[in-house]
Amino acid sequence: MSIPRMAETLPEWMAFLEGLAADVEAGRLSDWPSYAARARAFYTPEMMARIEPVVPDWGLMATFANQQTLIHVTSVLTALLRLDEYQQAEPERRAVMEWIVLFHDIAKEARRGSHDYVHGFRSAAVAGRSLAGLGFPAAADFGERIDGWYDLTYQAVRTREDVADPIQDNRQLEAIVSGIEGLYGVDSPAYLVVMAVLLHLSVDLKDDYPTVAPLDDAGLKRHVTPSVLPYLRMMLRLDNDGWLQFDPEDRAIQRERVRVAFDRIARLHED
């Protein structure tokens, strides 16, 4: 069953991203100030208004930290278009990748001097509520169940004495994942999108950005299933690529950390 593609839903946006990706690839765009200026020129109030019904909370996300997350997600989308795995994928697989990237930081509240450690769960809540309306197949009783699941997922937050900012509450993960399965079906396109968004702050890459609520091996084996694994691996690689688009040395280091982490998760499924 076909699912919506970004090129069909927001063709102007995809054309813009393809132009950015081509210019980065060719070296015509090679620094953050120029990249950010191109992005800000594109995201006019009219364009933001066209994106908002497709990606709810897009405008709110863009208000934090001088549009930091807006520029970052744009950069991650650019990195996606340049990714061999994406270019070689079948259309439905490409679409799943696109929606993962679009929603992965949609609920992030970037603020100077603090970390948003809960936006993985909260962005997944927004994605899970939105995808059915975009044309992703959903359960017949989706409308009756979605509000309860959204509230559970969005509010799955706790505090810990050794961490200054709130963290995601992994104690709620079983119920959250069970809800995703009921709303969309195991391994459906929407399930894969929501799971990759949900867990993108849950894998410890042993890097400089703290993973304060990583899943233990049992949680990784249970929730990063063989179907979810390639999409979550892609998301973590691209998340780093998005920050390091113009820093090839550090980008290569981070890609290796992602490879090592996900090779280890894959081995968990062999035991």
Side-chain angles (χ1 to χ4, degrees), residues 129-254:
R129 186 171 61 181
S130 304
L131 293 176
L134 293 172
F136 284 77
D141 60 350
F142 178 90
E144 300 167 18
R145 302 171 62 177
I146 186 57
D147 288 345
W149 176 84
Y150 175 90
D151 290 342
L152 167 70
T153 307
Y154 200 89
Q155 296 170 11
V157 175
R158 59 185 289 247
T159 58
R160 208 170 70 196
E161 289 185 0
D162 60 327
V163 182
D165 300 298
I167 65 173
Q168 64 191 37
D169 187 357
N170 290 336
R171 297 170 299 184
Q172 308 300 322
L173 194 54
E174 289 289 338
I176 291 169
V177 174
S178 177
I180 300 168
E181 294 171 353
L183 291 168
Y184 287 110
V186 177
D187 290 346
S188 67
Y191 172 91
L192 296 171
V193 171
V194 179
M195 287 295 292
V197 175
L198 180 75
L199 299 178
H200 85 275
L201 298 182
S202 300
V203 179
D204 189 358
L205 300 180
K206 310 299 182 185
D207 59 9
D208 295 334
Y209 189 89
T211 305
V212 296
L215 296 184
D216 59 17
D217 283 1
L220 290 169
K221 185 174 182 178
R222 180 165 179 78
H223 299 299
V224 187
T225 63
S227 297
V228 171
L229 188 148
Y231 292 103
L232 185 59
R233 179 183 59 207
M234 173 218 70
M235 184 61 253
L236 268 66
R237 175 180 170 179
L238 289 175
D239 215 0
N240 287 314
D241 283 3
W243 291 115
L244 300 169
Q245 185 155 220
F246 303 116
D247 189 344
E249 291 184 6
D250 282 352
R251 187 170 69 241
I253 292 170
Q254 286 297 103

Side-chain angles (χ1 to χ4, degrees), residues 25-36:
E25 185 71 26
R28 293 186 294 268
L29 193 55
S30 58
D31 63 84
W32 280 117
S34 299
Y35 187 95

